[in-house]
Amino acid sequence: MVDFTLTEKDKQIIQIQLEDEQTVLKYARYYDQNHDELQPEELPEAKGRPNPYYMLQDSPDGTSGAVLTEAFLHLHTPDVRMRITRSGLGDKIVNYGGTPEQKARWGNKTLSIAITEPGAGSDPMMITGKARYDVATAEWILNGEKIYCSQFGMADGAVVMLRGEPDANNIRPFLSFVVEKGTKGLQVLGQVDKMGCRNWDTADFVLQDCRVPSINKLDVDFGGALQVFNGTRPMVAAMGLKYARSIMEAAVAKLEEQGQRIDYATNTNGRSAVQEKLLSMEAEYEAATMVILHSKWTEQNQGNASKLTMKEAAEAKAIGGRASRRISQEALALLGPAALSEEAFPEKWFRDTRIFDIFEGPGDICRLIVARHILGYSKKELS
Amino acid sequence: MITFELSEEQIMAQSAMQDFASNVLGPAAQKADRAASADQATLDALWETGIVQSQIDQADSDRSAILNAIILEELGAGDASLAIALAAPFAFVRAIAQYGSQAQRASLAQFAESASFVPAAVALMEPQFGWDPRVLKTTAKKVDGGWQLDGAKTMVPFASKLAKVLVIAATPEGNKAFVVDGAAQGLRVAGAVATLGLRCLQMGDIALQGVRVSDQDVLGEGGEVDVQAIIDAGRAGLSAVMTGLSRAVTDYVIPYTKDRSAHGSALARKQVIAFRIADMHIETNAMRWMSWRAAFDVEKAPADATRSAQLAYTYSAGRCMSIADEALQAFGGHGYVRAHPIEMWYRNARALGMLEGLASV
């Protein structure tokens, strides 16, 4: 039966995240201003404190479910992470589709995933980075430039997606390789200088005649591996909404300082223009949140390989990303000129939230996925 | 524990209502719109679904606001206007069944026993510009042996045919709800004028001039009732109907835009159209989960319901309008002519998002 009540254990786990959220705020400005400096694997405050994500994964009994309840943690993602998780999308792919030998070698390493290039974003067909096999040495020679790799600063390497030699139809196949740091020809370009989320480890690198042995070539069904996005899209949408909501809450707090609050009982005529704007933002926030929760509920029941999960994950990302943009822009304006100051966090949250309608599948790409699903179109019919 | 899972009973009701809506309401919709009146046969078919009567038979704990939201979405997908035709007496009956005194509940026998449609409604909205449910101009004054009602209510469904109407009026102790007979002395219906949307409801203004009711007609045991709870349930109900309308619009736009070609390809294969349709679909889903959330709160967490029902209503009113608007645009000239139901949905969407009190979960 339909139920929207958090369990006691849900509340307990979420409470830890809420405390973490407040605790780490004191570091937020520092890492915002020092983007080249990676945060430590664990902040001093993390000592002796339970990790809410592990609590949930280790014993989901009594919660609304490991997948669904996690969405609430993401809706309260701390500005700076209490602890860095030593696992990236790259090692997940190795563990998903690698050979036993590859799993043994890299399964426990931290590997980013490197797909994006300066000329190839949401369309992987635009990837130009190349891999060529050298029969003489039984090595692969890799060339290309990869950008915006999450976690690459602290990672041991990356799973890199490149194109092989043209086949009989003159199409370059997609190939992927594990490239570890320290390999000759891998040049790390350092942290990306971003508008926001500046604490978020994001690095670029170049491969120049970088040679790796055959064992580094993964034989992975990338489509299968990328099903991981069906789980991460709503998660990322929730994280973006957290920043937008924080600005909105700051505006509500200002309203309350003036002895006002959003009056839900009355109608438009009974509310001030500011109250009305905040109400409409809150409604949009709530709409996005409900779509995220439903997509997580579907994932929890059907797994992240299901077509329905894929569609709903895209829905969550599309509505969440747009809501984050609109709410952050309008709420900052409501706060007034003083909110432009770096004295307080709203201006930071405004910058932070904007990426969430881009990475992990931009809103437009997510709309393509939803549209194909409901219109019954293939990729070729609707692109 | 958070879950969106429907019970078997809810799934069965949903499916039955979907059949009813597409077989009975859909085909009757445009005719009722043009005639600005619904066939007695259609109204009776709505009545025979037993949805209104079910509120009377059930114990408080058996009434399910979620189920009501599910039903209203399905009816709204068939035709929003006819959905409200049933939702209006439903709102009246639910308010009495939920909050009424023993005697008031007993008086619902009139509804339980009737084989044909009984027009009734909750009269909340007022005609003055800037009307505000917290500052109603319709007043109730304590007089000997009862109360005297004065004021005016606007857009009351079936205004000239009402068997009963629940009038929300301001008293010195806040808003109260009064059960008024449609034929009460001093209750005057202004001449019916057709409306932009939801035309089959024959909505009209009623004037209350010195209407006398007894103490027993004040809703609630001893006249104590939280009128806001009725308003909240109404907003959740309207949100569910708007979900249904938005779904119907989306379902109608999909085959048309796939079929119609312009500049070398089907309309639906152009991103600008496909993305709008994707948004219609996503936003309709959001409306549904919000109306469920509000319905859940109405039933299980009334303290939260004022907020969640307002959010559901605000979001649904805005998106339902924009969904109908974008659909009309996608149809171009065909959206503007009466051969397709789009123009009717556009008018109905505007009306739904402006009204209050005409439905309930």
Side-chain angles (χ1 to χ4, degrees):
Chain A
M1 288 280 267
V2 175
D3 192 335
F4 295 108
T5 323
L6 290 165
T7 67
E8 283 312 308
K9 195 163 164 195
D10 285 336
K11 287 183 197 164
Q12 212 184 349
I13 295 172
I14 294 165
Q15 181 57 31
I16 292 165
Q17 181 83 328
L18 293 177
E19 288 163 15
D20 284 2
E21 200 181 354
Q22 290 307 308
T23 307
V24 304
L25 263 182
K26 61 182 173 195
Y27 298 105
R29 186 60 75 183
Y30 179 83
Y31 288 106
D32 179 51
Q33 289 173 341
N34 297 277
H35 79 284
D36 276 325
E37 190 177 327
L38 297 182
Q39 66 169 100
E41 269 187 48
E42 195 175 89
L43 294 174
E45 288 78 2
K47 290 224 175 357
R49 273 188 72 74
N51 180 331
Y53 295 96
Y54 289 167
M55 277 176 80
L56 185 58
Q57 281 160 23
D58 294 347
S59 67
D61 289 352
T63 68
S64 294
V67 174
L68 184 49
T69 301
E70 200 186 35
F72 288 92
L73 298 183
H74 292 125
L75 283 165
H76 293 281
T77 303
D79 278 50
V80 175
R81 285 181 297 175
M82 203 74 160
R83 308 166 185 82
I84 302 291
T85 316
R86 284 212 75 93
S87 170
L89 283 175
D91 49 74
K92 284 201 179 72
I93 287 172
V94 170
N95 284 315
Y96 170 86
T99 62
E101 196 187 348
Q102 287 170 333
K103 284 182 198 174
R105 203 178 276 206
W106 298 298
N108 290 321
K109 299 267 184 181
T110 305
L111 300 176
S112 302
I113 183 159
I115 302 174
T116 304
E117 296 180 355
S122 60
D123 181 6
M125 292 306 285
M126 299 303 291
I127 289 175
T128 57
K130 288 183 187 61
R132 183 165 58 81
Y133 189 63
D134 183 357
V135 183
T137 60
E139 285 173 327
W140 287 87
I141 306 170
L142 314 179
N143 280 286
E145 181 180 356
K146 291 292 175 184
I147 60 172
Y148 309 158
C149 297
S150 282
Q151 257 186 311
F152 190 70
M154 56 80 73
D156 303 307
V159 169
V160 186
M161 193 192 265
L162 298 163
R163 312 291 293 271
E165 298 288 339
D167 62 15
N169 300 320
N170 204 29
I171 292 172
R172 290 179 174 273
F174 287 102
L175 302 174
S176 54
F177 300 87
V178 173
V179 181
E180 288 183 88
K181 282 185 183 166
T183 308
K184 201 173 161 225
L186 164 65
Q187 192 196 345
V188 181
L189 298 178
Q191 287 291 307
V192 181
D193 195 2
K194 309 185 291 293
M195 173 171 80
C197 287
R198 290 166 64 83
N199 72 311
W200 187 266
D201 179 357
T202 317
D204 298 346
F205 64 87
V206 168
L207 297 168
Q208 196 165 22
D209 290 331
C210 177
R211 286 173 171 266
V212 294
S214 296
I215 173 111
N216 288 44
K217 180 171 170 293
L218 297 170
D219 187 17
V220 179
D221 159 23
F222 244 92
L226 293 183
Q227 276 165 9
V228 68
F229 283 135
N230 296 340
T232 56
R233 282 195 171 132
M235 171 182 125
V236 165
M239 291 163 75
L241 279 173
K242 170 246 152 82
Y243 293 113
R245 186 196 61 232
S246 299
I247 307 175
M248 184 171 79
E249 285 174 350
V252 170
K254 288 286 176 199
L255 198 66
E256 284 171 355
E257 281 174 24
Q258 296 185 343
Q260 286 187 60
R261 47 175 201 86
I262 302 173
D263 187 342
Y264 301 103
T266 185
N267 63 6
T268 302
N269 297 319
R271 284 184 287 268
S272 70
V274 171
Q275 281 185 41
E276 187 70 6
K277 275 192 173 179
L278 284 167
L279 174 72
S280 129
M281 283 178 220
E282 192 179 359
E284 190 166 359
Y285 174 85
E286 201 70 8
T289 306
M290 292 308 285
V291 174
I292 289 170
L293 292 181
H294 195 274
S295 78
K296 282 289 168 189
W297 178 74
T298 299
E299 181 191 340
Q300 190 160 282
N301 290 314
Q302 306 208 357
N304 68 9
S306 119
K307 289 268 182 234
L308 187 61
T309 304
M310 178 171 90
K311 186 204 72 161
E312 291 202 13
E315 286 186 46
K317 185 67 167 60
I319 194 173
R322 180 174 282 171
S324 294
R325 288 160 66 178
R326 279 210 282 244
I327 293 168
S328 62
Q329 292 157 11
E330 289 175 20
L332 196 78
L334 277 189
L335 277 169
L340 298 172
S341 165
E342 290 187 8
E343 284 286 318
F345 288 118
E347 69 79 28
K348 172 187 172 295
W349 292 328
F350 172 80
R351 290 181 284 114
D352 290 340
T353 197
R354 187 60 184 84
I355 192 62
F356 290 87
D357 201 26
I358 300 173
F359 65 8
E360 219 81 3
D364 310 299
I365 297 302
C366 291
R367 281 182 184 83
L368 267 182
I369 292 169
V370 175
R372 283 180 196 136
H373 188 103
I374 60 177
L375 291 164
Y377 280 152
S378 64
K379 276 188 188 172
K380 206 174 157 189
E381 287 168 312
L382 180 63
S383 62
Chain B
M1 190 181 94
I2 296 183
T3 171
F4 291 83
E5 182 138 36
L6 297 182
S7 68
E8 259 179 57
E9 182 208 357
Q10 288 168 337
I11 292 169
M12 274 166 56
Q14 183 178 44
S15 152
M17 281 305 123
Q18 194 170 1
D19 288 347
F20 174 77
S22 60
N23 294 329
V24 180
L25 303 189
Q30 280 177 285
K31 184 163 167 264
D33 177 66
R34 278 170 215 188
S37 143
D39 282 344
Q40 190 60 37
T42 308
L43 291 175
D44 288 345
L46 275 165
W47 193 255
E48 282 158 19
T49 59
I51 295 166
V52 171
Q53 298 88 324
S54 73
Q55 299 299 298
I56 304 168
D57 306 334
Q58 290 175 351
D60 283 356
S61 56
D62 289 343
R63 255 176 251 122
S64 164
I66 295 275
L67 178 61
N68 294 339
I70 291 165
I71 288 170
L72 285 175
E73 176 185 337
E74 296 307 327
L75 295 179
D79 179 48
S81 189
L82 288 163
I84 299 289
L86 192 66
F90 179 91
F92 174 88
V93 167
R94 182 202 172 265
I96 308 285
Q98 185 88 24
Y99 306 110
S101 65
Q102 277 300 333
Q104 286 160 354
R105 291 161 72 144
S107 77
L108 290 175
Q110 172 188 4
F111 290 83
E113 286 157 14
S114 175
S116 65
F117 183 82
V118 184
V122 175
L124 170 64
M125 298 174 289
E126 298 190 337
Q128 70 274 9
F129 178 77
W131 87 277
D132 177 344
R134 305 244 290 197
V135 198
L136 294 174
K137 297 254 170 85
T138 301
T139 58
K141 189 168 70 186
K142 192 78 191 79
V143 291
D144 254 4
W147 296 74
Q148 179 181 317
L149 302 175
D150 289 283
K153 292 292 176 182
T154 196
M155 293 300 137
V156 183
F158 310 110
S160 58
K161 301 172 183 166
L162 289 168
K164 294 275 185 189
V165 58
L166 190 67
V167 175
I168 313 294
T171 77
E173 303 106 71
N175 289 345
K176 285 183 184 291
F178 299 85
V179 183
V180 178
D181 200 274
Q185 257 203 345
L187 188 153
R188 201 168 46 79
V189 179
V193 178
T195 49
L196 170 77
L198 307 176
R199 290 163 62 83
C200 85
L201 297 176
Q202 301 179 307
M203 294 183 287
D205 289 6
I206 57 174
L208 301 146
Q209 289 169 335
V211 173
R212 301 290 282 263
V213 295
S214 74
D215 285 332
Q216 285 72 45
D217 292 324
V218 190
L219 185 64
E221 207 70 65
E224 285 302 316
V225 66
D226 179 8
V227 169
Q228 187 61 43
I230 297 172
I231 297 175
D232 297 343
R235 287 171 181 163
L238 283 164
S239 168
V241 175
M242 290 189 272
T243 307
L245 172 56
S246 301
R247 199 181 88 202
V249 170
T250 309
D251 288 348
Y252 197 80
V253 167
I254 289 173
Y256 179 82
T257 52
K258 285 180 75 170
D259 191 51
R260 186 176 172 100
S261 267
H263 307 292
S265 70
L267 285 181
R269 289 185 59 182
K270 300 173 196 304
Q271 281 193 355
V272 69
I273 300 290
F275 284 11
R276 281 179 197 160
I277 294 173
D279 281 331
M280 289 179 189
H281 176 75
I282 297 168
E283 289 166 3
T284 302
N285 285 342
M287 286 159 65
R288 177 181 312 109
W289 316 137
M290 289 177 89
S291 73
W292 286 15
R293 172 73 202 249
F296 179 82
D297 287 346
V298 162
E299 190 177 312
K300 301 272 173 57
D304 300 332
T306 301
R307 173 180 172 273
S308 57
Q310 178 63 260
L311 294 177
Y313 175 77
T314 296
Y315 185 80
S316 302
R319 295 307 195 268
C320 183
M321 186 70 255
S322 69
I323 286 169
D325 182 43
E326 293 293 356
L328 197 151
Q329 192 68 14
F331 269 68
H334 291 301
Y336 198 67
V337 298
R338 288 178 160 199
H340 288 283
I342 297 276
E343 62 81 27
M344 175 181 76
W345 288 335
Y346 181 73
R347 290 182 284 112
N348 286 347
R350 180 58 287 161
L352 279 172
M354 294 164 66
L355 300 174
E356 293 229 48
L358 302 196
S360 177
V361 290

